[in-house]
């Protein structure tokens, strides 16, 4: 008998198609039993092992697309979404590639019974995924063994399904002289089969994704908003004036007020930006968490959280930014941090003579090194356990994280699992991927609002308040200037800051004129140095450039 074997590209189509329900089933297992969701694990694996630039480029491109589509989410939510979409897209493409390769194999090993080839192919494909699961920075909550068995079963089913499809797609050539012995279909049946397979796939995918989403909806929210409407004082232009415990913020009665529409000077904790290397899941921190500090020390310790909370504590109002924050981006936030000074920790553990740095490792295997000399020279560096007087939210690093003034977030490890005292500084997670070695923050200024709705009359002219933030890390802000339509730079008024480690809220009252306008802002740090006005991308040292806003304004 003469049969026409299905083309390899058909394997790609079927592989892609069948990967959808495979993902849906994984999603249900993920939500129900903490089994792996391979798109995220695979993506995390790839991004760990690929040069950082490739992934960053991909995510940046996705972020542009999502922002272009008009998502109202903040940039970090958008970035997470982009990451997750990319992860699933990549997994689908891998599925297509697997399908094509399997069809190529089936074409060569053309056995009539078939199923065994599919099962074996599935087992082979499962192996690299099992490796990814076994080496994932966050072990699946189901346990690694169960996870690997699950992945094996899924890919056996996948291989068998592909093999079955392969045989359904095998078309017998019109050959009157022989009786078909294999399952044969005609071209019309083939099309029908693809449509049916597509339909069945869609149903399983939708049901699975729906079920997974339902299970997820039952989870408690990751964070509870602490600053609610009752501590927002309308008289202060919608700004929060108290911390989470209801105490007035240090600058609550500052004379200069934020312009309406300026971001919250004190970020509600639930809105604090979040950036980390995990695309899917947050780490599980055990109830009986302890922090081991080991290595080149006289006193190795293993502290409970209660022991750490009983140590001499310090609180500070702190602005932190991600090095990936673009000019005017939302990856920058301010809250009150509480923790134990790292100098106190050093006193307790007594580093050896030849000790040089702390190697800090997170529950996600993120690592970062801090030189002991840096700690000895700066009593503000802290091992933090609270944001806004509450334990750190899990997304922001519960139970412990580090604060280092004047450095971007990449230097402030979250979810600290262990600290090792070592005899050499080494590049940490992001530094190894080509980002700044020291990650010193760069001065930045942003226009948050041109508040035409808050226009007012003074001395016979209409003034429109313009406002925003400026930040230069520990150097502070000495001056902010605004210019309109390439005119003269004009000094803005600076609101007193919450501390010498927070951003500065500024305001400028602009004499209104009708029409289309361009507004620009620059800042100067405490030493009088102007921010870098050239445009630099976020990578490798943090973004710079002048923020400008265009608005067309009409007489009220
Ligand atoms: N364990 C761990 N710590 C981490 C990271 C991470 O991926 N894992 N990301 C760093 C980066 S790049 C930033 S900007 C800050 C963000 O902290 P946040 O999510 O609380 O805003 O955490 C830092 N600490
Ligand atoms: Mo970051």
């Amino acid at each position: 008998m003469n049969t026409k074997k299905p083309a390899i590209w058909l394997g790609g189509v079927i592989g892609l198609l069948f990967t959808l329900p495979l993902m849906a089933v994984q999603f249900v297992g993920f939500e129900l039993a903490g089994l792996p969701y391979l798109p995220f694990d695979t993506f995390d694996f790839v991004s760990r092992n690929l040069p950082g630039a490739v992934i960053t480029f991909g995510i940046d491109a996705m972020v542009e697309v999502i922002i272009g589509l008009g998502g109202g989410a903040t940039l970090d939510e958008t970035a997470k979404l982009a990451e997750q979409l990319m992860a699933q897209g990549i997994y689908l493409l891998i599925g297509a590639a697997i399908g094509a390769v399997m069809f190529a194999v089936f074409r060569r090993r053309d056995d009539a019974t078939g199923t065994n080839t599919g099962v074996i192919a599935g087992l082979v494909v499962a192996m690299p995924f099992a490796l990814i699961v076994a080496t994932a920075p966050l072990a699946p909550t189901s346990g690694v063994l169960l996870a690997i068995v699950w992945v094996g079963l899924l890919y056996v089913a996948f291989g068998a399904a592909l093999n079955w499809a392969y045989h359904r797609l095998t078309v017998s050539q019109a050959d009157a002289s022989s009786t078909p012995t294999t399952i044969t279909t005609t071209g019309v049946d083939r099309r029908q089969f693809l449509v049916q397979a597509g339909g069945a796939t869609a149903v399983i995918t939708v049901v699975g994704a729906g079920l997974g989403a339902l299970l997820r909806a039952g989870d408690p929210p990751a964070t509870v908003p602490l600053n609610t409407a009752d501590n927002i004082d309308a008289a202060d232009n919608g700004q929060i004036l108290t911390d989470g415990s209801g105490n007035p913020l240090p600058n609550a009665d500052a004379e200069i007020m934020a312009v309406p529409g300026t971001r919250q000077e004190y970020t509600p904790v639930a809105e604090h930006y979040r950036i980390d290397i995990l695309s899917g899941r947050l780490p599980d921190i055990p109830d009986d968490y302890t922090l081991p500090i080991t290595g080149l020390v006289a006193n190795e310790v293993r502290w409970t959280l209660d022991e750490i909370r009983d140590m001499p504590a310090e609180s500070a109002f702190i602005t932190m930014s991600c090095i990936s924050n673009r000019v005017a981006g939302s990856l920058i936030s301010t809250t009150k941090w509480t923790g134990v000074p790292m100098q106190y920790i050093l006193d307790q553990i007594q580093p050896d003579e030849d000790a040089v740095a702390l190697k800090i490792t997170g529950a996600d295997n993120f690592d970062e090194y801090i030189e002991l000399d840096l700690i000895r020279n700066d009593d503000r560096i802290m091992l933090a356990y609270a944001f806004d007087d509450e334990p750190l939210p899990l997304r922001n690093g519960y139970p412990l994280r580090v604060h280092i003034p004047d450095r971007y977030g990449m230097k402030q490890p979250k979810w600290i699992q262990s600290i090792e005292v070592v005899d050499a500084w080494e590049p940490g997670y992001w530094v190894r991927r080509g980002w700044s070695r020291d990650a010193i923050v760069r001065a930045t200024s942003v226009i948050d609002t041109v508040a035409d709705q808050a226009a007012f009359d003074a001395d016979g002219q209409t003034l429109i308040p313009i406002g925003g933030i400026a930040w230069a890390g520990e150097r502070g802000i000495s001056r902010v200037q605004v210019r309109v339509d390439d005119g003269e730079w004009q000094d803005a008024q600076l609101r007193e800051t919450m501390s010498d480690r927070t951003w500065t809220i500024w305001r400028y009252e602009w004499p209104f004129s009708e029409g289309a306008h361009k507004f620009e802002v620059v800042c100067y740090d405490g030493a009088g140095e102007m921010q870098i006005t050239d445009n630099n991308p976020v990578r490798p040292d943090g973004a710079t450039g002048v923020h400008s806003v265009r608005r067309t304004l009409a007489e009220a």
Side-chain angles (χ1 to χ4, degrees), residues 305-382:
L305 264 185
D306 281 339
E307 284 171 320
I308 293 170
R309 289 181 183 132
D310 281 341
M311 294 174 187
E314 252 175 32
S315 291
F317 290 83
I318 288 170
T319 297
M320 178 175 64
S321 168
C322 183
I323 196 164
S324 299
N325 192 39
R326 302 158 194 225
V327 172
S330 61
L331 303 182
I332 180 168
S333 303
T334 301
T335 192
K336 180 184 177 186
W337 294 51
T338 302
V340 181
M342 272 292 192
Q343 289 184 350
Y344 177 86
I345 306 273
L346 292 193
D347 285 346
Q348 303 303 303
I349 58 173
Q350 295 290 321
D352 296 346
E353 288 274 284
D354 54 343
V356 169
L358 302 182
K359 179 189 182 187
I360 302 181
T361 308
D364 55 348
N365 269 341
F366 178 92
D367 62 301
E368 197 29 77
Y369 289 73
I370 309 177
E371 276 149 325
L372 296 179
D373 280 348
L374 189 69
I375 297 174
R376 293 188 178 115
N377 289 325
D378 190 341
D379 58 8
R380 300 167 302 175
I381 298 176
M382 73 162 106

Side-chain angles (χ1 to χ4, degrees), residues 206-271:
V206 168
V207 169
L211 203 61
L214 261 178
L215 290 166
R216 161 156 300 187
D219 288 351
T223 49
V224 192
L226 295 173
N227 272 304
T228 48
D230 42 326
N231 61 2
I232 297 180
D233 186 341
D236 197 29
N237 297 335
Q239 289 283 310
I240 291 167
L241 291 178
T242 57
D243 67 17
S245 318
N247 302 313
L249 296 172
N251 62 347
D253 46 12
E255 198 188 323
I256 309 294
M257 297 235 200
V259 173
T262 306
R263 74 189 69 195
Q264 286 295 344
E265 181 175 24
Y266 190 65
T267 313
V269 174
E271 287 165 29

